[in-house]
Amino acid sequence: MPGISDQTKILSAEQLNHVLSFTQTATAIHVGVDAQIQFANHAMLTIWGRGTEVIGKTLIQAMPELIGQPFVEMFARVWRDGITISGTETAADILVDGELSTFYFNFEYRAVKDERGQVIAILHTATDVTELYLNRRELEEAAQNKALLMQEQSLNEELAASNEQLNAINEELFSSREELSKINSELESMVAERVQAFAESEIRFRSMADNTDIHITVADETGKRFYFNKAWSILTGRSPERLLEVGWQDLIHERDRQNFLDIHSAAFTKRVSYTAELRLLGAEGSYHWLLKKGTPRFLSDGKFAGYISSCIDITQKKEDEHKMQDFIEELATSNEELAAVNEELSTTNEELAASYDELVRSEARFRNLIRQAPVAICVIRAEDLMIMDVNKSYLELVGRQREQIENHTIWDAMAEAAEVYAPVMQDVIATGTAFHALEHELLLIRKGVEETVFVDFVYEPVIGLNGEITTIMVVINEVTDKVIARKRIEDAEERSRLAIQAAEIGTYEFDYIEQSLRSSERFNEIFGLDRPVSRDQVLATYHALDADISEQAHSLAKKTGKLFYEARLAPLDGSLRWVRVHGKVYYDSDGNMARLLGTVIDITEFKRLQQQKDDFISIASHELKTPLTSLKASLQLLERMKSNPTALFPKLIGQSVKSMQKVSVLVDDLLTVTVMKEGQVTLNRSKFSFADMIEERCLHLRQLGSHELVVEDIGELQIFGDENRIEQVISNFVTNAVKYAPDSKQIFLTAEDLGSSVKVSVRDTGPGIPPDKLPHLFDRYFRADQTGAQVSGLGLGLYICADIVKRHGGEIGVDSTEGVGTVFWFSLPVEG
């Protein structure tokens, strides 16, 4: 009788898709950077308002209305970076039954990886929370309307009382004109006070706006701006009148301008808030990154009154992110997520602050807000320290279950923190003064394991109607990731500072009044000078096309106080070199430029590497495109004739294999360089016969078509090393000889016993290599034929060979004479 396992069948991919289609959770599977839809169950198709015809299409092809919305870029980021992106109550405009409507979703885009860590698909799940979101909004609006109604009733009562008082006054007016005059004077005084109060209110607003670093703008219902604060003038260098006349949109970076105008126009049409990031040209000539938020204004009758917008300078943040990417590339994604979390937490804190008065009035709403707050909150009764309420975020932070917290005193529930924080909380209760702590290190026991975390927290005393402290509200925000990331940045910056100190940087001081220049020895060396000279003599070493750059930079530095430029030098030896100049201007008591302190570094190699990197990207794209195009064409033809093969079928298969082998070689070279860069190359050393390796491992090298490999007598040499890697070096030498010396019909392989080492050489009788290219042959990405017209390749083979030889403790080199031939050689120690 067969066992159960003999009767069980493994589900096919189609059966798995069929099973997944019955899940109630909206689920879809996408592949590729353009989010091609491979699977979508009924729940997801219902959300999209589409049928099964979308299967196989990209997200934009299936849902064109998503153009301009952030979801397509989110899919691309998940696919490229292998991360997970999720959202809560996120708005999306979807075309359903021919009508574009706004829905709200809780969603997750999760990258699914294979065993090698490569992303193979994106799992997309979503929950439609539109009704829940709109109901909550209606409840909030109802509560606000109720409060306004109560306020209006209170005002009506006051108005009724005022009317009664006015009736009494009217009666008195008939009997006493003098009393009427007195009352009129009082009324005029009250009106004057109201007018003065309104004027003072506007003055306070303008004073507050003009004294903040935030850039504030106010526009009317037509979009015309009628107010800019001083921060805008400082940033743009334009007067308030000039700003009112022309604005600042012409200063937006050309890559950001249209995107910002589209966002602003869409928000203005819908009368909704918007947020955008953009680069703006500042008065000092450099671009600033700004985070702009626009909020619509409405009058008491609900009439649209225009927009009030604010901009925060986030240039430093952008620069920090750039530094982080330069020093620790793997933290880039974490920094972006951390910035998003910080922004969300900042928004939440603002909402909590704005809702504080309302929380005091309504205990029910207070508790509901605590439960839904994204930060950890715990409310403690002051008289006996009993925990009255705690939200899920607090439970997750401290690693406790709700039954371990509720109906317990705080120090019973959190015994490990009592010794340090019990006196602090007692002091808050005694003095009524809140206790704030930023990035405080805290030891918690989570699930029985001690963990060290960093938190921002506050012990806030809540005062009751009798003036006594009734409760202590503990608000905690875990910032462990933020602190760790900042410390890593600080460590990276410290390493950068030490590196700069160790670098060969020239220094100088220029006196604007005396027009004198004092320079360091390294400064003179960079400019090819053997002694201190004048500024004009230094400028004489500049390339003719860059002769005016220094004057332009000094003119700008007069305004900004900072000098920066890059220029080319034209030394007498004819070589072209690049320099980067930094400086800081110091002014006298009258504000005139007095002196300039600065540094200069030689960036010639940096510029060369930049050009080499650009050349490599172009070469790699070209080299990969050619075999892939051939492979695609062959496969298309094979697909057409698969049911009716012809005599061309084997040839197409051969072409496909050849193209795939070429792609494989290119990819193998790239992967090898990546492993070398990460320091993960390992050598499997063993003792082997060099002659046997040539005979057995390099036999394929004899099959060179029109070329003949001549192997000279190499004796019985024994070498201790990685046989596969050494064979790779010899194979590369021989292959290069065939490619670069096609007319050299014989390729000579020799090995010399030097006693403690062996020297292996591969010689051809080809055209030779120009002397100026010999020093760079073993550089990464360098190709003797830079045009790629003669031979193909990525310029990595010799670079890999050099690394293999050096890891064996050997040497590698090349000797070449134009018109005679080239000899590539390497030497290895016999005993390793």
Side-chain angles (χ1 to χ4, degrees), residues 664-694:
S664 179
V665 170
L666 295 173
V667 173
D668 284 345
D669 283 350
L670 289 172
L671 291 176
T672 301
V673 170
T674 300
V675 173
M676 288 165 54
K677 182 179 179 182
E678 296 175 352
Q680 297 179 358
V681 174
T682 58
L683 298 178
N684 297 318
R685 300 174 187 262
S686 62
K687 197 167 186 179
F688 64 93
S689 168
F690 191 78
D692 292 343
M693 185 269 289
I694 294 296

PDB file of all heavy atoms in Angstrom, residues 664-694:
ATOM      1  N   SER A 664      28.722  35.987 -20.587  1.00  0.00           N
ATOM      2  CA  SER A 664      29.191  35.342 -19.353  1.00  0.00           C
ATOM      3  C   SER A 664      30.596  35.801 -19.000  1.00  0.00           C
ATOM      4  O   SER A 664      30.911  36.066 -17.830  1.00  0.00           O
ATOM      5  CB  SER A 664      29.153  33.830 -19.507  1.00  0.00           C
ATOM      6  OG  SER A 664      29.631  33.186 -18.342  1.00  0.00           O
ATOM      7  N   VAL A 665      31.483  35.910 -20.020  1.00  0.00           N
ATOM      8  CA  VAL A 665      32.860  36.358 -19.762  1.00  0.00           C
ATOM      9  C   VAL A 665      32.859  37.775 -19.218  1.00  0.00           C
ATOM     10  O   VAL A 665      33.561  38.095 -18.261  1.00  0.00           O
ATOM     11  CB  VAL A 665      33.691  36.268 -21.062  1.00  0.00           C
ATOM     12  CG1 VAL A 665      35.043  36.970 -20.870  1.00  0.00           C
ATOM     13  CG2 VAL A 665      33.913  34.818 -21.445  1.00  0.00           C
ATOM     14  N   LEU A 666      32.052  38.669 -19.848  1.00  0.00           N
ATOM     15  CA  LEU A 666      31.996  40.062 -19.383  1.00  0.00           C
ATOM     16  C   LEU A 666      31.475  40.150 -17.962  1.00  0.00           C
ATOM     17  O   LEU A 666      32.027  40.875 -17.118  1.00  0.00           O
ATOM     18  CB  LEU A 666      31.106  40.885 -20.322  1.00  0.00           C
ATOM     19  CG  LEU A 666      31.608  41.049 -21.758  1.00  0.00           C
ATOM     20  CD1 LEU A 666      30.567  41.733 -22.603  1.00  0.00           C
ATOM     21  CD2 LEU A 666      32.911  41.846 -21.782  1.00  0.00           C
ATOM     22  N   VAL A 667      30.414  39.398 -17.661  1.00  0.00           N
ATOM     23  CA  VAL A 667      29.838  39.427 -16.308  1.00  0.00           C
ATOM     24  C   VAL A 667      30.808  38.830 -15.292  1.00  0.00           C
ATOM     25  O   VAL A 667      30.956  39.342 -14.181  1.00  0.00           O
ATOM     26  CB  VAL A 667      28.489  38.685 -16.286  1.00  0.00           C
ATOM     27  CG1 VAL A 667      27.972  38.564 -14.859  1.00  0.00           C
ATOM     28  CG2 VAL A 667      27.468  39.434 -17.139  1.00  0.00           C
ATOM     29  N   ASP A 668      31.504  37.719 -15.683  1.00  0.00           N
ATOM     30  CA  ASP A 668      32.483  37.114 -14.773  1.00  0.00           C
ATOM     31  C   ASP A 668      33.580  38.110 -14.416  1.00  0.00           C
ATOM     32  O   ASP A 668      34.029  38.188 -13.267  1.00  0.00           O
ATOM     33  CB  ASP A 668      33.087  35.870 -15.409  1.00  0.00           C
ATOM     34  CG  ASP A 668      32.120  34.683 -15.379  1.00  0.00           C
ATOM     35  OD1 ASP A 668      31.128  34.758 -14.622  1.00  0.00           O
ATOM     36  OD2 ASP A 668      32.355  33.703 -16.101  1.00  0.00           O
ATOM     37  N   ASP A 669      34.044  38.892 -15.415  1.00  0.00           N
ATOM     38  CA  ASP A 669      35.075  39.904 -15.136  1.00  0.00           C
ATOM     39  C   ASP A 669      34.566  40.939 -14.151  1.00  0.00           C
ATOM     40  O   ASP A 669      35.267  41.330 -13.213  1.00  0.00           O
ATOM     41  CB  ASP A 669      35.508  40.588 -16.434  1.00  0.00           C
ATOM     42  CG  ASP A 669      36.451  39.718 -17.253  1.00  0.00           C
ATOM     43  OD1 ASP A 669      36.903  38.688 -16.720  1.00  0.00           O
ATOM     44  OD2 ASP A 669      36.734  40.058 -18.414  1.00  0.00           O
ATOM     45  N   LEU A 670      33.320  41.390 -14.349  1.00  0.00           N
ATOM     46  CA  LEU A 670      32.751  42.397 -13.438  1.00  0.00           C
ATOM     47  C   LEU A 670      32.608  41.835 -12.034  1.00  0.00           C
ATOM     48  O   LEU A 670      32.917  42.511 -11.041  1.00  0.00           O
ATOM     49  CB  LEU A 670      31.389  42.865 -13.964  1.00  0.00           C
ATOM     50  CG  LEU A 670      31.426  43.746 -15.218  1.00  0.00           C
ATOM     51  CD1 LEU A 670      30.023  43.991 -15.746  1.00  0.00           C
ATOM     52  CD2 LEU A 670      32.112  45.072 -14.931  1.00  0.00           C
ATOM     53  N   LEU A 671      32.135  40.581 -11.923  1.00  0.00           N
ATOM     54  CA  LEU A 671      31.962  39.979 -10.594  1.00  0.00           C
ATOM     55  C   LEU A 671      33.309  39.767  -9.918  1.00  0.00           C
ATOM     56  O   LEU A 671      33.449  39.959  -8.701  1.00  0.00           O
ATOM     57  CB  LEU A 671      31.213  38.653 -10.726  1.00  0.00           C
ATOM     58  CG  LEU A 671      29.742  38.748 -11.143  1.00  0.00           C
ATOM     59  CD1 LEU A 671      29.137  37.364 -11.322  1.00  0.00           C
ATOM     60  CD2 LEU A 671      28.941  39.533 -10.105  1.00  0.00           C
ATOM     61  N   THR A 672      34.307  39.375 -10.687  1.00  0.00           N
ATOM     62  CA  THR A 672      35.640  39.177 -10.106  1.00  0.00           C
ATOM     63  C   THR A 672      36.188  40.477  -9.556  1.00  0.00           C
ATOM     64  O   THR A 672      36.757  40.523  -8.455  1.00  0.00           O
ATOM     65  CB  THR A 672      36.599  38.614 -11.172  1.00  0.00           C
ATOM     66  OG1 THR A 672      36.085  37.372 -11.661  1.00  0.00           O
ATOM     67  CG2 THR A 672      37.991  38.405 -10.582  1.00  0.00           C
ATOM     68  N   VAL A 673      36.012  41.579 -10.308  1.00  0.00           N
ATOM     69  CA  VAL A 673      36.491  42.885  -9.826  1.00  0.00           C
ATOM     70  C   VAL A 673      35.751  43.299  -8.572  1.00  0.00           C
ATOM     71  O   VAL A 673      36.321  43.855  -7.639  1.00  0.00           O
ATOM     72  CB  VAL A 673      36.327  43.948 -10.941  1.00  0.00           C
ATOM     73  CG1 VAL A 673      36.585  45.338 -10.378  1.00  0.00           C
ATOM     74  CG2 VAL A 673      37.282  43.651 -12.073  1.00  0.00           C
ATOM     75  N   THR A 674      34.434  43.010  -8.515  1.00  0.00           N
ATOM     76  CA  THR A 674      33.657  43.351  -7.323  1.00  0.00           C
ATOM     77  C   THR A 674      34.171  42.593  -6.107  1.00  0.00           C
ATOM     78  O   THR A 674      34.342  43.149  -5.015  1.00  0.00           O
ATOM     79  CB  THR A 674      32.175  43.017  -7.552  1.00  0.00           C
ATOM     80  OG1 THR A 674      31.701  43.767  -8.664  1.00  0.00           O
ATOM     81  CG2 THR A 674      31.348  43.382  -6.321  1.00  0.00           C
ATOM     82  N   VAL A 675      34.444  41.290  -6.285  1.00  0.00           N
ATOM     83  CA  VAL A 675      34.973  40.487  -5.176  1.00  0.00           C
ATOM     84  C   VAL A 675      36.343  41.002  -4.749  1.00  0.00           C
ATOM     85  O   VAL A 675      36.660  41.081  -3.567  1.00  0.00           O
ATOM     86  CB  VAL A 675      35.061  38.997  -5.599  1.00  0.00           C
ATOM     87  CG1 VAL A 675      35.771  38.182  -4.543  1.00  0.00           C
ATOM     88  CG2 VAL A 675      33.655  38.442  -5.822  1.00  0.00           C
ATOM     89  N   MET A 676      37.171  41.389  -5.729  1.00  0.00           N
ATOM     90  CA  MET A 676      38.492  41.955  -5.412  1.00  0.00           C
ATOM     91  C   MET A 676      38.349  43.236  -4.615  1.00  0.00           C
ATOM     92  O   MET A 676      39.067  43.466  -3.639  1.00  0.00           O
ATOM     93  CB  MET A 676      39.262  42.215  -6.708  1.00  0.00           C
ATOM     94  CG  MET A 676      39.754  40.960  -7.417  1.00  0.00           C
ATOM     95  SD  MET A 676      40.248  41.299  -9.128  1.00  0.00           S
ATOM     96  CE  MET A 676      41.407  42.628  -8.897  1.00  0.00           C
ATOM     97  N   LYS A 677      37.416  44.076  -5.026  1.00  0.00           N
ATOM     98  CA  LYS A 677      37.208  45.357  -4.342  1.00  0.00           C
ATOM     99  C   LYS A 677      36.781  45.143  -2.901  1.00  0.00           C
ATOM    100  O   LYS A 677      37.143  45.911  -2.012  1.00  0.00           O
ATOM    101  CB  LYS A 677      36.157  46.173  -5.100  1.00  0.00           C
ATOM    102  CG  LYS A 677      35.892  47.543  -4.513  1.00  0.00           C
ATOM    103  CD  LYS A 677      34.874  48.295  -5.334  1.00  0.00           C
ATOM    104  CE  LYS A 677      34.586  49.655  -4.721  1.00  0.00           C
ATOM    105  NZ  LYS A 677      33.550  50.384  -5.480  1.00  0.00           N
ATOM    106  N   GLU A 678      35.985  44.107  -2.657  1.00  0.00           N
ATOM    107  CA  GLU A 678      35.504  43.838  -1.302  1.00  0.00           C
ATOM    108  C   GLU A 678      36.504  43.008  -0.488  1.00  0.00           C
ATOM    109  O   GLU A 678      36.241  42.672   0.668  1.00  0.00           O
ATOM    110  CB  GLU A 678      34.161  43.097  -1.367  1.00  0.00           C
ATOM    111  CG  GLU A 678      33.047  43.944  -2.005  1.00  0.00           C
ATOM    112  CD  GLU A 678      31.767  43.152  -2.169  1.00  0.00           C
ATOM    113  OE1 GLU A 678      31.798  41.911  -1.927  1.00  0.00           O
ATOM    114  OE2 GLU A 678      30.744  43.756  -2.538  1.00  0.00           O
ATOM    115  N   GLY A 679      37.640  42.680  -1.074  1.00  0.00           N
ATOM    116  CA  GLY A 679      38.673  41.937  -0.349  1.00  0.00           C
ATOM    117  C   GLY A 679      38.308  40.500  -0.057  1.00  0.00           C
ATOM    118  O   GLY A 679      38.770  39.917   0.921  1.00  0.00           O
ATOM    119  N   GLN A 680      37.450  39.890  -0.897  1.00  0.00           N
ATOM    120  CA  GLN A 680      36.969  38.544  -0.615  1.00  0.00           C
ATOM    121  C   GLN A 680      37.594  37.481  -1.521  1.00  0.00           C
ATOM    122  O   GLN A 680      37.138  36.335  -1.550  1.00  0.00           O
ATOM    123  CB  GLN A 680      35.444  38.509  -0.768  1.00  0.00           C
ATOM    124  CG  GLN A 680      34.725  39.407   0.220  1.00  0.00           C
ATOM    125  CD  GLN A 680      33.222  39.381   0.026  1.00  0.00           C
ATOM    126  OE1 GLN A 680      32.721  38.717  -0.871  1.00  0.00           O
ATOM    127  NE2 GLN A 680      32.503  40.106   0.865  1.00  0.00           N
ATOM    128  N   VAL A 681      38.635  37.866  -2.281  1.00  0.00           N
ATOM    129  CA  VAL A 681      39.285  36.891  -3.152  1.00  0.00           C
ATOM    130  C   VAL A 681      40.122  35.937  -2.291  1.00  0.00           C
ATOM    131  O   VAL A 681      40.903  36.373  -1.450  1.00  0.00           O
ATOM    132  CB  VAL A 681      40.182  37.597  -4.181  1.00  0.00           C
ATOM    133  CG1 VAL A 681      40.966  36.567  -4.985  1.00  0.00           C
ATOM    134  CG2 VAL A 681      39.330  38.461  -5.095  1.00  0.00           C
ATOM    135  N   THR A 682      39.914  34.646  -2.465  1.00  0.00           N
ATOM    136  CA  THR A 682      40.672  33.645  -1.702  1.00  0.00           C
ATOM    137  C   THR A 682      41.494  32.798  -2.670  1.00  0.00           C
ATOM    138  O   THR A 682      41.103  32.567  -3.822  1.00  0.00           O
ATOM    139  CB  THR A 682      39.743  32.738  -0.892  1.00  0.00           C
ATOM    140  OG1 THR A 682      38.827  32.084  -1.791  1.00  0.00           O
ATOM    141  CG2 THR A 682      38.963  33.546   0.134  1.00  0.00           C
ATOM    142  N   LEU A 683      42.657  32.335  -2.214  1.00  0.00           N
ATOM    143  CA  LEU A 683      43.529  31.495  -3.019  1.00  0.00           C
ATOM    144  C   LEU A 683      43.555  30.079  -2.430  1.00  0.00           C
ATOM    145  O   LEU A 683      43.794  29.901  -1.232  1.00  0.00           O
ATOM    146  CB  LEU A 683      44.953  32.062  -3.030  1.00  0.00           C
ATOM    147  CG  LEU A 683      45.115  33.462  -3.642  1.00  0.00           C
ATOM    148  CD1 LEU A 683      46.559  33.912  -3.535  1.00  0.00           C
ATOM    149  CD2 LEU A 683      44.646  33.486  -5.084  1.00  0.00           C
ATOM    150  N   ASN A 684      43.265  29.104  -3.277  1.00  0.00           N
ATOM    151  CA  ASN A 684      43.329  27.703  -2.865  1.00  0.00           C
ATOM    152  C   ASN A 684      44.718  27.166  -3.247  1.00  0.00           C
ATOM    153  O   ASN A 684      44.930  26.586  -4.323  1.00  0.00           O
ATOM    154  CB  ASN A 684      42.216  26.903  -3.546  1.00  0.00           C
ATOM    155  CG  ASN A 684      40.854  27.388  -3.141  1.00  0.00           C
ATOM    156  OD1 ASN A 684      40.621  27.672  -1.972  1.00  0.00           O
ATOM    157  ND2 ASN A 684      39.944  27.504  -4.100  1.00  0.00           N
ATOM    158  N   ARG A 685      45.687  27.375  -2.359  1.00  0.00           N
ATOM    159  CA  ARG A 685      47.079  27.046  -2.666  1.00  0.00           C
ATOM    160  C   ARG A 685      47.357  25.542  -2.511  1.00  0.00           C
ATOM    161  O   ARG A 685      46.837  24.908  -1.583  1.00  0.00           O
ATOM    162  CB  ARG A 685      48.023  27.831  -1.760  1.00  0.00           C
ATOM    163  CG  ARG A 685      47.904  29.340  -1.887  1.00  0.00           C
ATOM    164  CD  ARG A 685      48.777  30.037  -0.840  1.00  0.00           C
ATOM    165  NE  ARG A 685      48.585  31.464  -0.812  1.00  0.00           N
ATOM    166  CZ  ARG A 685      49.375  32.347  -1.417  1.00  0.00           C
ATOM    167  NH1 ARG A 685      50.413  31.904  -2.110  1.00  0.00           N
ATOM    168  NH2 ARG A 685      49.138  33.641  -1.342  1.00  0.00           N
ATOM    169  N   SER A 686      48.177  25.068  -3.385  1.00  0.00           N
ATOM    170  CA  SER A 686      48.678  23.694  -3.295  1.00  0.00           C
ATOM    171  C   SER A 686      49.940  23.594  -4.152  1.00  0.00           C
ATOM    172  O   SER A 686      50.205  24.463  -4.998  1.00  0.00           O
ATOM    173  CB  SER A 686      47.628  22.693  -3.788  1.00  0.00           C
ATOM    174  OG  SER A 686      47.328  22.931  -5.155  1.00  0.00           O
ATOM    175  N   LYS A 687      50.716  22.556  -3.938  1.00  0.00           N
ATOM    176  CA  LYS A 687      51.933  22.379  -4.706  1.00  0.00           C
ATOM    177  C   LYS A 687      51.608  21.605  -5.990  1.00  0.00           C
ATOM    178  O   LYS A 687      50.957  20.567  -5.953  1.00  0.00           O
ATOM    179  CB  LYS A 687      52.975  21.616  -3.888  1.00  0.00           C
ATOM    180  CG  LYS A 687      54.386  21.731  -4.441  1.00  0.00           C
ATOM    181  CD  LYS A 687      55.411  21.224  -3.428  1.00  0.00           C
ATOM    182  CE  LYS A 687      56.832  21.478  -3.914  1.00  0.00           C
ATOM    183  NZ  LYS A 687      57.840  21.021  -2.920  1.00  0.00           N
ATOM    184  N   PHE A 688      52.044  22.133  -7.137  1.00  0.00           N
ATOM    185  CA  PHE A 688      51.710  21.479  -8.396  1.00  0.00           C
ATOM    186  C   PHE A 688      52.871  21.643  -9.379  1.00  0.00           C
ATOM    187  O   PHE A 688      53.740  22.511  -9.231  1.00  0.00           O
ATOM    188  CB  PHE A 688      50.421  22.050  -8.996  1.00  0.00           C
ATOM    189  CG  PHE A 688      50.526  23.504  -9.395  1.00  0.00           C
ATOM    190  CD1 PHE A 688      50.887  23.870 -10.690  1.00  0.00           C
ATOM    191  CD2 PHE A 688      50.272  24.500  -8.468  1.00  0.00           C
ATOM    192  CE1 PHE A 688      50.985  25.192 -11.047  1.00  0.00           C
ATOM    193  CE2 PHE A 688      50.351  25.827  -8.818  1.00  0.00           C
ATOM    194  CZ  PHE A 688      50.715  26.181 -10.112  1.00  0.00           C
ATOM    195  N   SER A 689      52.848  20.783 -10.407  1.00  0.00           N
ATOM    196  CA  SER A 689      53.861  20.832 -11.451  1.00  0.00           C
ATOM    197  C   SER A 689      53.451  21.861 -12.490  1.00  0.00           C
ATOM    198  O   SER A 689      52.356  21.783 -13.061  1.00  0.00           O
ATOM    199  CB  SER A 689      54.017  19.461 -12.105  1.00  0.00           C
ATOM    200  OG  SER A 689      54.796  19.558 -13.283  1.00  0.00           O
ATOM    201  N   PHE A 690      54.335  22.803 -12.753  1.00  0.00           N
ATOM    202  CA  PHE A 690      54.022  23.842 -13.730  1.00  0.00           C
ATOM    203  C   PHE A 690      53.876  23.259 -15.128  1.00  0.00           C
ATOM    204  O   PHE A 690      52.991  23.646 -15.898  1.00  0.00           O
ATOM    205  CB  PHE A 690      55.127  24.912 -13.702  1.00  0.00           C
ATOM    206  CG  PHE A 690      54.767  26.144 -14.473  1.00  0.00           C
ATOM    207  CD1 PHE A 690      53.908  27.082 -13.944  1.00  0.00           C
ATOM    208  CD2 PHE A 690      55.288  26.375 -15.739  1.00  0.00           C
ATOM    209  CE1 PHE A 690      53.581  28.213 -14.665  1.00  0.00           C
ATOM    210  CE2 PHE A 690      54.965  27.501 -16.457  1.00  0.00           C
ATOM    211  CZ  PHE A 690      54.099  28.436 -15.919  1.00  0.00           C
ATOM    212  N   ALA A 691      54.721  22.289 -15.449  1.00  0.00           N
ATOM    213  CA  ALA A 691      54.661  21.669 -16.785  1.00  0.00           C
ATOM    214  C   ALA A 691      53.344  20.925 -16.968  1.00  0.00           C
ATOM    215  O   ALA A 691      52.706  20.995 -18.027  1.00  0.00           O
ATOM    216  CB  ALA A 691      55.845  20.719 -16.976  1.00  0.00           C
ATOM    217  N   ASP A 692      52.887  20.180 -15.918  1.00  0.00           N
ATOM    218  CA  ASP A 692      51.623  19.452 -16.018  1.00  0.00           C
ATOM    219  C   ASP A 692      50.459  20.413 -16.166  1.00  0.00           C
ATOM    220  O   ASP A 692      49.487  20.146 -16.890  1.00  0.00           O
ATOM    221  CB  ASP A 692      51.434  18.573 -14.779  1.00  0.00           C
ATOM    222  CG  ASP A 692      52.449  17.419 -14.736  1.00  0.00           C
ATOM    223  OD1 ASP A 692      53.049  17.131 -15.794  1.00  0.00           O
ATOM    224  OD2 ASP A 692      52.604  16.832 -13.646  1.00  0.00           O
ATOM    225  N   MET A 693      50.530  21.532 -15.444  1.00  0.00           N
ATOM    226  CA  MET A 693      49.439  22.523 -15.544  1.00  0.00           C
ATOM    227  C   MET A 693      49.345  23.066 -16.966  1.00  0.00           C
ATOM    228  O   MET A 693      48.247  23.189 -17.524  1.00  0.00           O
ATOM    229  CB  MET A 693      49.702  23.671 -14.562  1.00  0.00           C
ATOM    230  CG  MET A 693      48.567  24.702 -14.491  1.00  0.00           C
ATOM    231  SD  MET A 693      48.781  26.057 -15.642  1.00  0.00           S
ATOM    232  CE  MET A 693      50.163  26.904 -14.869  1.00  0.00           C
ATOM    233  N   ILE A 694      50.500  23.368 -17.586  1.00  0.00           N
ATOM    234  CA  ILE A 694      50.491  23.867 -18.956  1.00  0.00           C
ATOM    235  C   ILE A 694      49.932  22.811 -19.904  1.00  0.00           C
ATOM    236  O   ILE A 694      49.129  23.099 -20.797  1.00  0.00           O
ATOM    237  CB  ILE A 694      51.899  24.287 -19.394  1.00  0.00           C
ATOM    238  CG1 ILE A 694      52.367  25.490 -18.563  1.00  0.00           C
ATOM    239  CG2 ILE A 694      51.945  24.617 -20.883  1.00  0.00           C
ATOM    240  CD1 ILE A 694      51.550  26.729 -18.777  1.00  0.00           C
TER     241      ILE A 694
END
